[in-house]
Each structure stands twice: as C-alpha cells, then as structure tokens.
C-alpha cells in the first residue's frame, strides 16, 4: 500500500498527549444520555435555575446599545466593569481586592489550565487533596507534574499535614474548601485560618477553587481564605453554578504579579473570553440579582440533597457510609471494602442508574470502594427510585 | 520586614512563564487607543461588518426556544449542527469532510494552543514561514519548541525549501496560504498542490490556517489544501473575520485520530466553547447568510486596501517597497535597510500614527526594516492622512 493512501496519518504526538487515554468512565457514562437512565453522575446544574428570561433581555439590550464593542476583539484581562464588579464583591471583611487583581477566564476550567501553564514544569510537585477535583488533575496533567496528596479527613484538608518534607519543591497547593467536588466536604474556619497563614509565607501559591461557595444551604457562608489573605491567595470563581455554565465565564483573583503572567498565557491560549458573554453576565449581575437568585438555587438543591439523604438511609445496607453536605451538589459514598465501584457502575448502568466511581478523583492510591452522587439534575421522586436501585445492587454484593 | 508583610509573593514560575516577557510593541501600542491616533496596527475587523441585528434576532430566538440547552454545559466537540454545517461547507471539489472531523474551538487562537498541547514537546522542531503569524509563535512557544524557518518569497512558502535536512524531526508545519498575517501574501495553486502532496506522506501534519480565505477581493478563492488532501491536512477556520471576533468561535478540521486527542486536550483546557455563542453562529449562518454577507466585507476591505495603496504610492519615498494584496487585511512594507521600524514606531506614535513592526513575526533572524499595515479599521480619508505622516517620517530617515 502506497503511503499516500493511508487514511489515518501516524503523526508523532507530544508526551502529554500520549499519556491521555480514553476514560473508561466517559465511555460508560455516554449511555447515561438515554432518557430512561437516572443519572447521579453529571455535575450539571439544574436548568430550572437558569435565569433565561433575564439573559434574553440582557442580550437584547447589549446588542442594541453596544453591538460594536460586544462583538469586537477585547482586552485579554476581561471586560473592565465585570472585573470591577468581582473586585467589589470579594472586598469583604476588611480585605481590599483591586480590579487589577481580576482576570476573566473562559470558565473556571481555563483558570486551571492557565495556572498549570504559568506554574508547572515537568515533574514539579503539585499538592492536591485526597481525593481532589478530577478536572484539576486533567488540567495540571497537561504540564506533567508529580502529584503529592495532602492528607484529609471528614472535614477536608488537614493543614498540619503540610509538613516540610511533603511540600518540598511544590509549585502550588490546589484546594476546594467549599463543598468539594467530589466529597461535598466543607473546610472549617480554623483550618481556613491555618491555610491562609500558611499562604502568607508559602514559597508557592495556595489555590482556593470555589465554584460552590454560594450554595451553602443555610445561607451562612464561611469566610474565604481570600478574605483572610487577599494578597497571597489565588482564588478561582465561576458563574457556572449561580447563573449558567453554558456561558463559560469564570475568574481568577490573584496578586498582580501573577495576573500579569496569566494574562500573557491567556493571550496565547484564546486571546480573550467572548466579549458578548462577559457583558451578558455583567448586565445580569450588576444590580444585585444574585442576592435574590442564589437563595432559590440553594433551596432547590437543599431539598434534593435531603431527598437523596433520605433515600440513602432507606435503601443502603449496613456498612455503607456517606456524608451530610451543608451545601453544594455532591454526596460522597463509601461502600464496604472490596466492592469496586468501577465494576458496580457497569451493573448500575444496565439497571438504568449512573454515578461516578471515586477512583479517578485520587491522584494516587485510589480508594476503589468510593463513589460520587450528584443530586442536582434529578427530581426527588427519581432520586428515590435511583437510590433504591443502587441500594439493591450494593446489598447483593455484601 | 516580616515575610507575611510582603505584598508581592515571589513564587517560582514555570520555565515557559519565565520566558514570557512584556512585549515592547504591546506597551507602545497601548497609546493607540487614544482617539487621535490613526492606527494601522490592529488586526480588528471593521465593526461596520458585524451583522448585529441578525445576531440580536438569533440570540433572542435561541434563548426563547432552547434556553436550557443554550445555557447548559455541552459536548467538548462542539454543537453538532454547527459541526455538520462546517463539514458540509468544506466538502467541495470532491473532498468529503465528516462532522466527526470537526472540533469547535474558542476562536482560532485556541486551535493553535490545542495543537501545541497535542503535538509539541520541549525542543521539538516546529516549521514556520518566514515571517509567520505572531499569535501562532506565542501559542506554540508555550510548549517550548525549536523553531525552524521555511524559506519564502513574494508568493509565500517555497515547497522546494522543505528539504530532508530542514524538516528532520519536525512535529508540524504551520502555514497561512491566504493573505498571510503579516505579509498579505497568497500561495499560488501549484504550491498548494505541492504542499498537499507533501502532506499525504509527511510524518507530521501540515497546518493550513485560513482566517482570511473568504476575503479575496475578486471573489475567486483558490482551492484550499484541505480540498486537495482532506484526510491529511489540519485546517483551521474562524468566524472572526466573516461574522464577529467577539464571539470567539473557530474550528479545526482534521483526521479523526487527531480530533480525538484534541478533544481530550480541550476538555482539560476549557471544557467546551460557550454553548450560547456556538448556537448564535449556527443560527446566523445556517441559511446561507455568509454568501450574501461576505461579499459586502470584501468590497469594503478592497476599497480601503486601494486607498492605502494609493496613499503609499503618493507618500512613500524611493527605496520603500510593499505588496499589492489580493485579499485580506494587511500590507507588508519594506523600508531601506538600516531603518529599524521598532524605533520608527516610537516616532510615529508621537505623531499619532501607528503600525506593527515586522521583527516579532520572525521566529529568528528578524528583518528589522519591515512593518505591517492594516487597512480595515480606518476609513479612507484617515488612511491617506496616516500614510502621509508615515511617509514624511520615513523620508526624513533617508
């Protein structure tokens, strides 16, 4: 066969690309798009919470009043009024955030990519929680770090675990203090203070990734580490969980020196986040809309969380444990040792119910008997039905 | 001073971030935002060409008819109807493009970042034109390649220049055959055929970056290399120059094997391009709008190009040369040897006229007496005035 007939070119890929393998989970979860599947797998916010009508009005106004600016190339740093809004909103408890500390990103996922670009070299140590957010592992892995897991307990990251040996040479510490994905855990105030103090003299940045912070069911958010050390914490925020994820608008708050480098990296990555979607977000949030909107999301998710906790009590056999989240979108479930949730998923999907196995959330030494349940996309009656099926499957294994 | 008082943390950056230095040009060009400056520097499409009213109607329809889907997370590959539209539009001259060969990107700049991620390792050779698109150099540089310049002449890349010694170990060849940024050159058909043939048996991909292809003034586009080797060329397209850049919607057409890897890399980079902006683009283009819209852009740019060519004839002294573009947005000017356009820019800005010096467009061995003029943002009368000032500055140097 002549080489020119080859349909599939065999081009040499980068080392990082060769390491990318098709995710077994992704393959299994493809079937969860079937309408008959009750999926606790997705981290999709409920579309019932999207303020579509407000967005429609905002889009209309923007394209009528300032079409040239909304449709033109714009500054890599982001739309200035939105940066100012973010700076003001996060200037609380005496902390002063300057607009120059804010970079708008194409979703929070891009913030992770940019931090990887700017901070991580091949084999450099990156500190993550045990377990940690899978999407962060995916982003940082593009820059081929060496992951170091920081010890955690039921309350999240243990600051005392950051021993000199453990943190040696680290380029960053990545943490989600609020309703962590995947465990739903919230870091207590004292630990936040300890970590903020650590950040003040740390030779590497502490990343406070906070997509779920606004979703605390009691409406009593704990102070952010950013508010405790506004010139030392790198804070990642997102409009995905409080407005809508499909707009892909997030932000980084960081010391100007780092923002400066992140802006250069972002310029090489996508020039800027779409001018139009940034303006839509600003138009929707600028007059205090989130203060009335977010409580409705909290209420919805709290009810669905309750429904899932009730169902877990009802259907899960002895030996299965889970946490009771105070906010967010996820419950973390631990099955008796020996049950591999990756195998369980295949059986579950055959029964038209889905979840995400826990193993991929560990940078190393995975706990194979864990799984993540999301309660935000499925209505309460379906939650009961889905958990009942899962409970029966687990019961059959004990 | 106590360490915790330090305002500016001194965190260790990645090697690639340390190499990023503030661009001298960027600093000088910041002043071009002053309204009194006649700027030939920007590559900004004329806002007069943005179909704002159509976009407003499209946004309105989308948020009324399918708000949940337009505002929700969506597939990394992109919005399927838009991928299908792209596949159909590029299935010409007997070439068949499948929707599975299309990945929607957050602007064409992101396509460059993803290709760098998936193909480039530290020190791996990357082939570029002499000169080449600055934004591509910025993207690929994040992955720390070793650049190799391919010889060019007035017609663009010289295929015979791709000798075995020159291409040894290369990971990709990057080229803009249509109205190249910065030179405005168009690659002749015979050279396209030669490059397409080369691509069919090349051990690395040939990247055909084509943001300006639709902007040929005669409305007689030359065939793409993609149409000559649809299973071997990696083609980058964009809606920035034919609709509006502020939406940040572009696409890659490539063999499925590469698309598969690019999708994984994109997932780690920004999950997906905003669902809403993808749908706006599809809604606007699906019924053939570009076929009537693009000719109006061509007409506008051709007139402005003519105005600039006339002004150059009128005001530039002997010893200055430039090309006559058949399309696109740029004219490439060569001054007598010894005139450094970086220094000239400072003087020009003092006279309220701006351009981009040519040196940064060279991967190495820069020609310091070159500069790039864009004629698309400035109206004809201002073009004449600006070129007159530039001409006087150059004349004073000879």
């Amino acid at each position: 066969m002549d080489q020119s007939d080859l349909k599939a070119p065999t081009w040499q890929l980068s080392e990082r690309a060769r390491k990318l393998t098709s995710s077994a989970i992704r393959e299994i979860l493809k079937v969860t798009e079937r309408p008959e599947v009750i999926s606790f797998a997705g981290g999709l916010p409920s579309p019932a919470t999207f303020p579509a009508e407000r967005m429609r009005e905002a889009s209309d106004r923007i394209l009528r009043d300032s079409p040239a600016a909304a449709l033109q190339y714009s500054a890599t740093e982001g739309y200035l009024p939105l940066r100012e809004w973010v700076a003001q909103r996060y200037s609380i408890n005496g902390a002063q955030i300057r607009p120059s500390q804010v970079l708008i990103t194409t979703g929070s996922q891009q913030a992770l990519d940019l931090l990887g670009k700017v901070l991580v070299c091949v084999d450099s140590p990156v500190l993550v929680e045990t377990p940690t957010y899978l999407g962060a592992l995916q982003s940082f892995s593009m820059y081929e770090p060496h992951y170091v897991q920081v010890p955690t307990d039921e309350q999240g990251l243990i600051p005392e675990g950051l021993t000199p040996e453990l943190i040696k040479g680290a380029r960053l510490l990545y943490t989600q203090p609020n309703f962590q994905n995947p465990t739903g855990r919230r870091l207590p105030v004292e630990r936040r203070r300890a970590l903020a103090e650590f950040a003040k003299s740390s030779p590497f940045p502490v990343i406070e990734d906070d997509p779920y912070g606004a979703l605390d069911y009691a409406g009593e958010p704990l102070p952010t580490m950013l508010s405790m050390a506004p010139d030392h914490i790198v804070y990642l925020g997102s409009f995905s969980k409080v407005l809508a994820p499909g707009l892909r608008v997030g932000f980084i708050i960081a010391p100007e020196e780092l923002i400066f480098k992140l802006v250069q990296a972002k310029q090489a990555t996508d020039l800027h986040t779409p001018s139009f979607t940034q303006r839509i977000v600003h138009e929707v949030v600028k007059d205090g809309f989130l203060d009335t909107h977010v409580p409705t999301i909290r209420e919805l998710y709290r009810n669905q969380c309750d429904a899932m906790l009730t169902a877990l009590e009802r259907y899960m056999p002895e030996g299965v444990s889970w946490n009771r989240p105070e906010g967010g979108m996820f419950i973390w479930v631990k099955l008796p040792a020996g049950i591999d949730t990756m195998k369980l998923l295949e059986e579950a999907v055959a029964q038209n119910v889905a979840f995400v196995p826990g193993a991929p959330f560990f940078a190393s030494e995975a706990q194979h008997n864990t799984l993540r349940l999301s309660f935000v996309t499925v209505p309460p009656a379906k939650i009961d039905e889905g958990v009942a099926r899962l409970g029966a499957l687990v019961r059959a294994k004990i």
Side-chain angles (χ1 to χ4, degrees), chain A residues 39-332:
Chain A
S39 177
F40 305 133
L44 304 186
S46 169
T49 69
F50 301 160
E53 191 50 29
R54 261 186 186 259
M55 298 220 181
R56 201 169 69 81
E57 287 163 12
S59 302
D60 197 67
R61 208 150 46 231
I62 292 163
L63 288 179
R64 220 173 30 212
D65 297 348
S66 46
L71 298 172
Q72 186 58 284
Y73 284 118
S74 59
T76 304
E77 290 83 349
Y79 181 49
L80 185 58
L82 183 58
R83 296 168 69 209
E84 290 170 340
W85 183 90
V86 169
Q88 201 185 357
R89 187 154 183 105
Y90 285 88
S91 289
I92 44 171
N93 299 338
Q96 271 304 317
I97 306 295
R98 300 168 293 281
S100 52
Q101 281 180 269
V102 181
L103 167 63
I104 307 295
T105 56
T106 308
S108 220
Q109 188 72 31
Q110 187 185 50
L112 299 169
D113 176 59
L114 296 177
L115 288 167
K117 269 199 176 85
V118 160
L119 294 167
V120 180
C121 290
V122 174
D123 290 333
S124 51
V126 161
L127 303 170
V128 295
E129 295 171 284
T130 315
T132 188
Y133 171 49
L134 177 56
L137 292 177
Q138 288 175 326
S139 284
F140 298 149
S141 290
M142 286 285 143
Y143 305 99
E144 304 169 81
H146 163 65
Y147 288 114
V148 178
Q149 292 193 130
V150 180
T152 57
D153 60 16
E154 297 308 304
Q155 300 193 302
L157 189 146
I158 302 168
E160 293 75 22
L162 295 167
T163 59
E165 309 87 72
L166 194 86
I167 70 171
K168 193 164 173 242
R171 291 303 179 88
L172 63 89
L173 163 59
Y174 173 77
T175 170
Q176 285 189 349
N178 284 320
F179 323 120
Q180 192 223 28
N181 183 352
T183 64
R185 290 170 191 159
R186 170 149 76 164
L187 197 71
V189 177
E190 317 78 60
R191 293 196 185 180
R192 291 171 190 238
R193 280 198 215 294
L195 263 184
E197 277 312 305
F198 175 85
K200 284 181 187 169
S201 61
S202 165
F204 54 84
V206 173
I207 317 288
E208 179 175 30
D209 185 14
D210 194 20
Y212 315 108
L215 304 180
D216 67 301
Y217 302 148
E220 290 166 356
L222 297 183
T224 60
M225 300 194 293
L226 177 72
S227 71
M228 299 168 178
D231 286 307
H232 294 86
I233 291 286
V234 175
Y235 181 93
L236 310 188
S238 171
F239 292 99
S240 291
K241 311 304 187 292
V242 294
L243 277 186
L247 296 180
R248 311 302 304 124
V249 180
F251 54 88
I252 307 179
I253 302 174
E256 277 93 347
E257 292 74 12
L258 190 65
I259 290 290
F260 180 75
K261 286 289 177 185
L262 291 167
V263 166
Q264 291 182 308
K266 181 169 165 68
Q267 200 185 12
T269 303
D270 68 356
L271 292 183
H272 62 83
T273 296
S275 323
F276 185 37
T277 51
Q278 292 188 65
R279 281 169 187 256
I280 294 173
V281 168
H282 179 254
E283 188 70 17
V284 169
V285 302
K286 69 178 183 187
D287 297 321
F289 172 68
L290 290 184
D291 298 335
T292 55
H293 180 60
V294 171
T296 66
I297 306 178
R298 282 183 199 139
E299 173 81 8
L300 178 75
Y301 289 178
R302 189 182 62 219
N303 289 340
Q304 302 203 173
C305 181
D306 282 347
M308 186 169 272
L309 289 168
T310 303
L312 286 166
E313 292 287 356
R314 186 175 302 159
Y315 301 113
M316 283 295 165
E318 196 91 7
V320 178
S321 62
W322 59 88
N323 61 325
R324 300 189 65 86
E326 296 166 285
M329 300 167 54
F330 305 110
I331 294 174
W332 184 244

Side-chain angles (χ1 to χ4, degrees), chain A residues 343-362:
Chain A
K343 286 183 195 136
L344 189 72
L345 176 60
E346 287 184 54
E347 295 173 43
V349 165
Q351 304 274 324
N352 287 333
V353 59
F355 57 84
V356 180
F361 295 94
F362 294 83

